[in-house]
Amino acid sequence: MLEKLFKLKAHRTNVRTEIVAGLTTFLAMAYILFVNPSILGATGMDKGSVFVATCLAAAIGSALMGFIANYPIALAPGMGLNAFFTYTVVLHMGYTWQIALGAVFLSACIFFALSIFKIREWIIRSIPLPLRSAIAAGIGLFLALIALENAGIVIANPATLVGLGDLTKPGPLFAMLGFILIVVLEARKITGAVLIGVLAVTVLAIALGYSPFGGVMSMPPSIAPTFMQLDIKGAFNVSLISVVFAFLFVDVFDNSGTLIGVTKRAGLADEDGNIPKMGRALVADSAAALFGSLLGTSTTTSYIESAAGVSAGGRTGLTAIVVAILFLLSLFFAPLAGSVPAFATAPALLFIAVLMTSGLAEIDWKDITVAAPVTVTALTMPFTYSIANGIAFGFITWTLAKLLTGRARELNAALIVLSILFVIKLGWLSA
């Protein structure tokens, strides 16, 4: 049955290899079980319910990818997207988390339509590669600011906006220890470095009496507080157009980058670098985002950590199915997730920020019409506490820089139209 479903022999793999690959991928991305409830919980959402929604969304998304596309790619609520959901849409813009879930649902519906009608390729081609790298880097810097704030390393300062926290307190010390541990483990190629770092800090904090221990296993908490609580009607508010677009935009490029990177490493792309069954993979991903919003979590997306499983030999959707099963088993570890303090998840956020900002190395810094929009995009996100604002300023700066320096040929219709819409949004609609 497994051979018929996943064509193991054709992909030169076997059941044992796929199981090991699935376990490897799961360990590499399981930190989301602790980080996602911590981030979304800041909106007032029930953390236990978010934990269950995270497990189910990851399981459903990974299973869809495995069965529909037969790719060794796992899914879960996306880092960056959950921060945008919490810190921009809810805490900064003032919308309820129910409306934010409605925006996630609408963006997933649009993404699904784009996948079905193959419009995604046109959108991807219209956005310059440097801007894509800038958006990823900006999200990374945004996550870094959140991590440092959660750890107590960066605090508010009325004179300078931000300042250095008290580094003699337990929170900053534990966070710095966790970050160094993750970096060292990653450098030594230890599988699950982020997860080990989070759990190690948690155990140490509990042992020293700085954090309460809620247990390890129990029956799953109720999902009722978040299940089907999305407010789709409220998400149709005109000022939320850019929010829906930002969810869609980041998800489209995050998925494309992950699919390209993982399939290339797995040897699944053709000679020209094209990805067979890309349409199926995107349909699976957008469907997973729909389910996630109904369950009560931010946008579900493909995880680059899937590359860890590919490195372990994973080549088919069976790897993703194994990940899905492991996320379902994780439902019984809610007490452990509830015992993880904010300063233990902060190192994970900071490490993800390191990975996301690495794309800036590929920017042509000698071309000022590229360097300026990239810098504006990356810095505006953390400094305005908004991914949407960063995307808007980046598009506008890129378009004006090219247009006013006589390089209009480097622009396209999509860039110009989006820039005009962003000007209208920032100038006449609520920011």
Side-chain angles (χ1 to χ4, degrees):
M1 182 186 70
L2 293 178
E3 172 61 35
K4 184 178 180 180
L5 279 174
F6 303 108
K7 299 179 174 60
L8 301 177
K9 291 181 180 178
H11 289 88
R12 289 176 293 182
T13 185
N14 54 57
V15 174
R16 181 183 179 280
T17 300
E18 295 292 300
I19 291 175
V20 171
L23 178 60
T24 303
T25 295
F26 174 77
L27 290 175
M29 63 186 289
Y31 63 85
I32 193 62
L33 294 172
F34 312 114
V35 176
N36 204 47
S38 175
I39 292 178
L40 298 190
T43 66
M45 298 176 74
D46 181 80
K47 289 187 178 181
S49 182
V50 172
F51 174 80
V52 175
T54 302
C55 293
L56 294 178
I60 292 171
S62 299
L64 287 173
M65 182 65 75
F67 285 122
I68 295 176
N70 195 25
Y71 277 157
I73 297 175
L75 290 84
M79 291 298 300
L81 287 160
N82 51 9
F84 175 61
F85 180 102
T86 296
Y87 299 103
T88 297
V89 182
V90 178
L91 299 184
H92 178 66
M93 299 179 72
Y95 291 101
T96 65
W97 59 263
Q98 291 90 342
I99 289 178
L101 285 177
V104 171
F105 179 83
L106 292 179
S107 69
C109 289
I110 298 172
F111 189 18
F112 188 80
L114 294 179
S115 303
I116 293 293
F117 296 107
K118 300 183 178 180
I119 304 173
R120 181 203 60 84
E121 287 82 359
W122 175 76
I123 295 177
I124 296 287
R125 285 195 298 267
S126 68
I127 311 304
L129 183 60
L131 271 185
R132 298 184 219 171
S133 299
I135 291 167
I139 294 173
L141 293 175
F142 188 29
L143 288 175
L145 179 60
I146 294 168
L148 294 172
E149 184 182 3
N150 288 346
I153 297 174
V154 169
I155 59 173
N157 187 312
T160 59
L161 293 182
V162 293
L164 184 65
D166 186 354
L167 300 186
T168 63
K169 289 185 177 180
L173 292 175
F174 278 120
M176 290 187 287
L177 174 64
F179 180 69
I180 294 300
L181 178 59
I182 291 172
V183 170
V184 171
L185 291 175
E186 182 67 22
R188 292 180 174 274
K189 308 297 182 185
I190 304 297
T191 300
V194 177
L195 177 63
I196 293 172
V198 171
L199 292 178
V201 170
T202 300
V203 170
L204 183 61
I206 291 172
L208 295 177
Y210 291 108
S211 183
F213 178 55
V216 177
M217 295 183 67
S218 73
M219 291 301 292
S222 171
I223 195 176
T226 62
F227 181 66
M228 294 294 290
Q229 296 299 309
L230 65 169
D231 183 355
I232 299 175
K233 183 179 179 181
F236 274 105
N237 186 309
V238 68
S239 63
L240 272 173
I241 291 175
S242 65
V243 171
V244 174
F245 175 75
F247 276 127
L248 170 67
F249 188 87
V250 175
D251 196 22
V252 166
F253 288 106
D254 190 43
N255 271 288
S256 300
T258 298
L259 289 170
I260 291 169
V262 176
T263 53
K264 183 177 180 180
R265 185 172 297 188
L268 298 173
D270 61 23
E271 295 178 356
D272 298 321
N274 297 317
I275 304 172
K277 298 181 291 186
M278 169 69 94
R280 291 188 182 185
L282 291 172
V283 166
D285 195 284
S286 54
L290 283 170
F291 280 111
S293 64
L294 298 174
L295 292 167
T297 184
S298 53
T299 307
T300 304
T301 187
S302 300
Y303 261 59
I304 194 63
E305 282 83 355
S306 301
V310 166
S311 298
R315 292 294 180 272
T316 74
L318 181 55
T319 295
I321 300 301
V322 172
V323 174
I325 293 171
L326 291 172
F327 269 113
L328 288 178
L329 293 176
S330 299
L331 283 167
F332 301 96
F333 290 88
L336 179 60
S339 300
V340 178
F343 57 71
T345 57
L349 292 177
L350 192 55
F351 181 73
I352 298 300
V354 172
L355 301 181
M356 296 186 76
T357 53
S358 62
L360 292 178
E362 302 171 5
I363 301 299
D364 180 9
W365 294 103
K366 295 180 180 179
D367 185 347
I368 193 63
T369 65
V370 171
V374 165
T375 303
V376 167
T377 302
L379 292 182
T380 303
M381 290 186 191
F383 289 144
T384 65
Y385 234 63
S386 170
I387 292 173
N389 286 344
I391 293 173
F393 276 99
F395 271 60
I396 295 169
T397 306
W398 182 282
T399 300
L400 290 177
K402 297 294 184 182
L403 194 62
L404 299 178
T405 55
R407 297 167 64 174
R409 70 176 68 89
E410 297 179 28
L411 298 174
N412 54 58
L415 270 174
I416 295 172
V417 170
L418 289 172
S419 296
I420 292 173
L421 291 176
F422 279 132
V423 168
I424 294 172
K425 170 65 174 68
L426 293 174
W428 285 274
L429 300 176
S430 169

